[in-house]
Amino acid sequence: MNPLIETLNRYGGTAIHFAWPMLWQSSALIAVLFVVDFALRRRVRAAVRYALWLVLLVKLLLPPSLALPTGIAWWLLPAAAPVNPQATRFVVSYGADAAPSLPPQPAPAFMPPRPPMSAAAWTILAWSAISAGLLVWLTARWRQVVCDVKRATPVPAWLGKLFDEAKYSTGLRRAVRLRLTDQAMSPAVCGLFRPVILLPQSLVEKLPPAQLRAVLLHELTHLRRGDVWMNCAQALIQIVYWWHPLLWLANARIRRVREEAVDDAVMLTLRDAAETYAPTLLEVAKLAFHRPLASLGLVGILESRSALRQRIERLMNFRAPRKAGLTLVSLCGICIFSAAALPMGE
């Protein structure tokens, strides 16, 4: 039992020394990103702000000790020069009159006391237990989605044709399936390697073809942008850093800005029929989705009810950009921001 406790104490101390720098460094980055996002929300398109938020996920994957001359912290917090104290030497000499030698005595048997578990060891145990519980819960949700996909039915021919036209409009080349489900849920994309778009049967029966095309364009745009993979990465990082309060807010903001970026792309694809998109969001919301979409590898058209009003107001005052994605200038700006903000280690 002693080696196990000693191992927990050792790794617990290492985890604490890792968690504290990561906490304050990522918190500082989140605060900066919130300020930048708020300042640029009316001037910069959503795709650029979304890419800026993804810098936070990169930060959480890097060691907090990372230090580069490009970082601001390199110049604000210069590393102190190491101090090498001189060792003091003692010389012991014995004279001719040495003490008489005594017969060797058997050493008494010594049982080392059981080392107590430190607070850091208990912390890493709690950290691991809660992370494991969240992973089990997320896996159960994912298995439920897989069961829904297996129970889903093929779409009629007219909807399949509409789907092919929407897929061609988005420029998506990879294979993707479209299925109907009787579940009361939002239209959503699931699957990392074999993606499937799930449409509620009630939604297909209610919406006209023009609005169904807008829904399909939204989900196909998620696939083209790789949002399913990014949502999966967000969920796994959140499981590891569940104790980070600001990360929950940041992840919610990332999902909201991601939906805004997809809205921009859909509006540009719809062109003359763009006025049908905002009413489509309202019709989708009226169907009352009881199941949340915060699942591994699952993104939908309406992940958050609280963001619906802001999204519709934004669409009503929509100013179409020339491009919905990133340009070379914006990509260079994001790289410069990353080089300055990521390396915070002293």
Side-chain angles (χ1 to χ4, degrees), residues 14-323:
T14 303
I16 294 300
H17 287 300
F18 167 83
W20 169 242
M22 183 59 78
L23 175 64
W24 75 259
Q25 290 183 17
S26 58
S27 297
L29 181 58
I30 290 173
V32 171
L33 287 172
F34 266 113
V35 172
V36 172
D37 188 12
F38 181 80
L40 300 180
R41 70 189 189 279
R42 299 184 184 276
R43 302 177 183 178
V44 177
R45 55 185 176 274
V48 179
R49 293 185 286 117
Y50 176 69
L52 282 174
W53 274 107
L54 295 185
V55 176
L56 172 63
L57 303 184
V58 178
K59 173 62 182 175
L60 295 171
L61 297 176
L62 296 175
S65 58
L66 177 65
L68 294 175
T70 59
I72 300 176
W74 180 278
W75 307 102
L76 296 180
L77 300 172
V83 179
N84 296 321
Q86 296 182 354
T88 305
R89 299 183 177 182
F90 298 92
V91 179
V92 180
S93 60
Y94 297 93
D97 299 333
S101 60
L102 299 176
Q105 299 292 330
F110 175 73
M111 296 295 294
R114 178 180 176 180
M117 285 186 62
S118 63
W122 285 109
T123 300
I124 195 174
L125 277 179
W127 183 350
S128 302
I130 296 178
S131 295
L134 290 174
L135 183 60
V136 170
W137 174 81
L138 203 57
T139 304
R141 291 289 311 278
W142 174 246
R143 289 178 63 88
Q144 187 176 6
V145 172
V146 171
C147 293
D148 291 342
V149 172
K150 291 181 178 179
R151 290 193 298 264
T153 58
V155 298
W158 66 270
L159 186 55
K161 183 178 179 181
L162 186 65
F163 176 68
D164 292 336
E165 294 175 356
K167 185 178 177 182
Y168 177 79
S169 299
T170 57
L172 185 66
R173 297 293 179 261
R174 63 179 300 187
V176 55
R177 295 172 294 165
L178 180 64
R179 293 292 184 268
L180 297 179
T181 177
D182 56 357
Q183 299 289 332
M185 57 178 290
S186 167
V189 181
C190 58
L192 299 175
F193 300 100
R194 300 178 60 191
V196 179
I197 296 179
L198 290 178
L199 285 182
Q201 181 71 41
S202 57
L203 188 72
V204 175
E205 295 172 355
K206 256 192 167 184
L207 296 185
Q211 292 185 335
L212 281 176
R213 180 173 180 266
V215 172
L216 293 174
L217 286 175
H218 185 101
E219 305 305 331
L220 289 169
T221 303
H222 273 305
L223 271 178
R224 180 176 56 82
R225 290 165 38 91
D227 291 340
V228 179
W229 285 93
M230 198 56 60
N231 190 59
C232 175
Q234 281 183 258
L236 295 178
I237 291 175
Q238 187 71 76
I239 286 175
V240 177
Y241 293 98
W242 58 265
W243 43 267
H244 198 320
L246 292 181
L247 182 58
W248 293 88
L249 299 177
N251 265 334
R253 184 59 188 171
I254 290 174
R255 293 187 176 95
R256 179 174 298 188
V257 178
R258 177 168 61 212
E259 292 301 319
E260 293 179 1
V262 174
D263 289 342
D264 290 352
V266 173
M267 293 285 282
L268 288 180
T269 305
L270 288 173
R271 302 191 181 209
D272 296 337
E275 68 276 0
T276 63
Y277 186 57
T280 300
L281 294 180
L282 284 175
E283 290 298 327
V284 171
K286 289 178 182 178
L287 295 180
F289 309 121
H290 304 290
R291 297 173 57 187
L293 293 180
S295 295
L296 183 64
L298 184 66
V299 291
I301 193 173
L302 194 63
E303 293 192 4
S304 172
R305 292 171 183 264
S306 61
L308 178 62
R309 177 179 177 182
Q310 288 83 355
R311 286 175 63 189
I312 292 179
E313 290 178 352
R314 182 174 175 273
L315 292 174
M316 297 303 294
N317 301 319
F318 181 74
R319 296 180 180 179
R322 287 178 293 181
K323 185 178 180 180

